[in-house]
Amino acid sequence: MKSPEYQFDTMGADLACAFFERLLHHSKGEWAGKPFRLLDWQRDKVVRPLFGWKRADGTRRYRRAYIEVPRKNGKTVLAAGLALYMLYADGEPGAEVYSAAVDREQASLVFDEAKAMVQMCPQFAKISEVYRKAITVPGTRSSYRVLSADVKGSHGVNASAVMFDELHAQPTRELWDVLNTSTGARRQPLVVAITTAGY
């Protein structure tokens, strides 16, 4: 009997949720210092499906995600948490995670939130080197960086994950195309576009 093409891995989904809720903390506002408790939509519509659904070979089913939510609904912290999961917990050798947006300042919003989360987590801080626009994990040869809006400088990347903020603001699709094709050598890359478009 042929095995199903896709299966839901409850343990994988649970582990991804636990990563957020046990290791990550909010860094701003009234929730500063408190554990990152996933909102229902973050947990049930994003994290569990992305990391629970698997292909027959055990890799993730979904390689692209488009998330559109109104402002002030936690999109930046969610993208930061997803980037850190891909950096620390995805098991990808030499992971390369990138934040991208229409300009460096916008791309830095997600990265800066992730950097604050790393600095608040003793386990991550101990194994990481944190710079102004990069986090490296020497033990796994992995890194998380902010990409410049200069498309020409993005051609050499070998992305395992991309957090693309405010995709709707891009003047052309060139950077999107470059980053998507940069994942071609990866076993199970993840490209996440997260935007407030339409709200």
Side-chain angles (χ1 to χ4, degrees):
M1 185 167 117
K2 187 180 175 187
S3 62
E5 187 177 3
Y6 303 113
Q7 293 184 326
F8 191 79
D9 175 5
T10 302
M11 183 179 291
D14 290 347
L15 284 172
C17 291
F19 175 90
F20 279 79
E21 300 188 349
R22 293 182 187 165
L23 295 171
L24 305 182
H25 291 77
H26 291 281
S27 67
K28 295 177 183 172
E30 65 177 299
W31 301 106
K34 296 192 172 150
F36 188 152
R37 300 277 180 240
L38 290 162
L39 300 173
D40 290 349
W41 74 267
Q42 294 171 329
R43 183 187 62 243
D44 299 334
K45 302 292 186 186
V46 179
V47 176
R48 291 187 67 77
L50 279 180
F51 299 103
W53 281 107
K54 302 285 175 66
R55 301 176 186 213
D57 64 2
T59 61
R60 279 191 303 277
R61 175 182 182 178
Y62 298 113
R63 310 296 167 89
R64 308 260 179 303
Y66 178 81
I67 304 165
E68 187 174 306
V69 292
R71 294 189 73 230
K72 303 302 177 192
N73 272 276
K75 78 175 179 69
T76 301
V77 292
L78 176 61
L82 290 171
L84 293 179
Y85 186 89
M86 298 300 291
L87 178 65
Y88 292 107
D90 194 45
E92 180 71 18
E96 290 184 25
V97 181
Y98 295 96
S99 280
V102 69
D103 57 41
R104 197 174 183 90
E105 184 177 348
Q106 183 70 38
S108 295
L109 295 177
V110 171
F111 176 84
D112 289 344
E113 186 65 43
K115 181 166 80 169
M117 290 176 176
V118 168
Q119 291 169 329
M120 295 170 74
C121 176
Q123 296 97 311
F124 294 156
K126 185 167 50 176
I127 62 171
S128 308
E129 295 175 359
V130 179
Y131 304 98
R132 196 169 68 84
K133 294 298 174 200
I135 300 167
T136 63
V137 187
T140 60
R141 297 175 293 104
S142 299
S143 64
Y144 175 25
R145 301 179 190 282
V146 176
L147 273 183
S148 165
D150 175 15
V151 174
K152 294 178 196 70
S154 304
H155 280 278
V157 305
N158 179 12
S160 53
V162 177
M163 301 299 127
F164 210 119
D165 197 14
E166 300 296 5
L167 179 63
H168 72 281
Q170 287 293 310
T172 71
R173 61 175 295 138
E174 190 174 2
L175 182 57
W176 172 258
D177 290 341
V178 166
L179 292 176
N180 270 278
T181 57
S182 79
T183 66
R186 297 294 183 165
R187 188 174 57 99
Q188 54 173 0
L190 179 62
V191 177
V192 176
I194 192 156
T195 185
T196 54
Y199 288 97

